[in-house]
Amino acid sequence: MRSYQVAKRVFVPLFALALVMLWNAAPTAGQEMEQEKSLYQRLGAYDGIDAFVAELESRVQNNPILSDFFKGHSVNSLERQHQFVVEFVCEAAGGPCTYLGRDMKTVHTGLNFSDSDWEALMGHLNDTLDKFEVPQKERGEVVGFISSLKDAIVTQ
């Protein structure tokens, strides 16, 4: 019986100490949430992506170098294109959207999008990221993702 008492006196405090150490080592709920947030969530979810895409499209459509790509489109066609871009970015960023459009190569075939067009687009992308004050980490992810599409978009 005495050995049980001694073991109990030693084990209980050690067990309590181990629990405290584990508790302190485990991330808090806030830290876990921060680690688990997708790019979609960090960009402001659907509304943030929609606003970002609208701003980028406005800049691109009003650029003398890039505006020719949008001539002849009806308002409805431009709205549909906007929706496709939002869904594409939303899905690519880990959001709940499903992009139902065509692949980037097919979408851009015949547009003769050149390297200089690409540079103008990337300039507007960076300006839009600046306007929305997108943090460096997310900025890098967005630019990296968009840059990965260059071979499918630039056809000239």
Side-chain angles (χ1 to χ4, degrees):
M1 181 95 149
R2 182 161 160 78
S3 64
Y4 172 75
Q5 293 287 341
V6 171
K8 186 176 172 184
R9 282 188 211 162
V10 172
F11 177 73
V12 171
L14 284 176
F15 182 71
L17 179 61
L19 284 177
V20 169
M21 290 173 67
L22 284 172
W23 181 263
N24 288 332
T28 64
Q31 289 171 330
E32 284 180 15
M33 293 296 287
E34 190 63 35
Q35 290 172 352
E36 294 175 7
K37 280 188 176 179
S38 66
L39 180 59
Y40 168 79
Q41 292 166 320
R42 291 179 281 139
L43 292 175
Y46 189 90
D47 290 342
I49 291 171
D50 182 59
F52 183 88
V53 169
E55 175 67 24
L56 179 59
E57 286 173 338
S58 175
R59 289 171 182 265
V60 169
Q61 290 170 5
N62 289 307
N63 178 295
I65 296 171
L66 301 173
S67 62
D68 285 347
F69 292 108
F70 301 95
K71 285 185 179 171
H73 291 277
S74 67
V75 171
N76 180 263
S77 292
L78 292 173
E79 288 171 351
R80 185 166 185 245
Q81 180 180 353
H82 172 81
Q83 189 61 43
F84 275 135
V85 174
V86 169
E87 289 169 358
F88 184 79
V89 173
C90 174
E91 182 179 328
C97 303
T98 302
Y99 172 69
L100 298 175
R102 297 168 292 166
D103 65 274
M104 290 299 105
K105 186 89 171 155
T106 301
V107 169
H108 295 90
T109 296
L111 292 179
N112 297 320
F113 207 81
S114 68
D115 281 321
S116 62
D117 296 330
W118 178 261
E119 291 306 317
L121 172 66
M122 294 305 286
H124 288 301
L125 175 66
N126 282 304
D127 291 344
T128 305
L129 290 165
D130 287 343
K131 179 178 179 175
F132 282 84
E133 298 177 354
V134 175
Q136 197 60 42
K137 179 181 178 192
E138 288 75 14
R139 180 187 199 101
E141 291 178 56
V142 171
V143 170
F145 169 70
I146 299 297
S147 294
S148 74
L149 302 172
K150 182 178 181 182
D151 289 343
I153 295 173
V154 175
T155 57
Q156 188 181 42

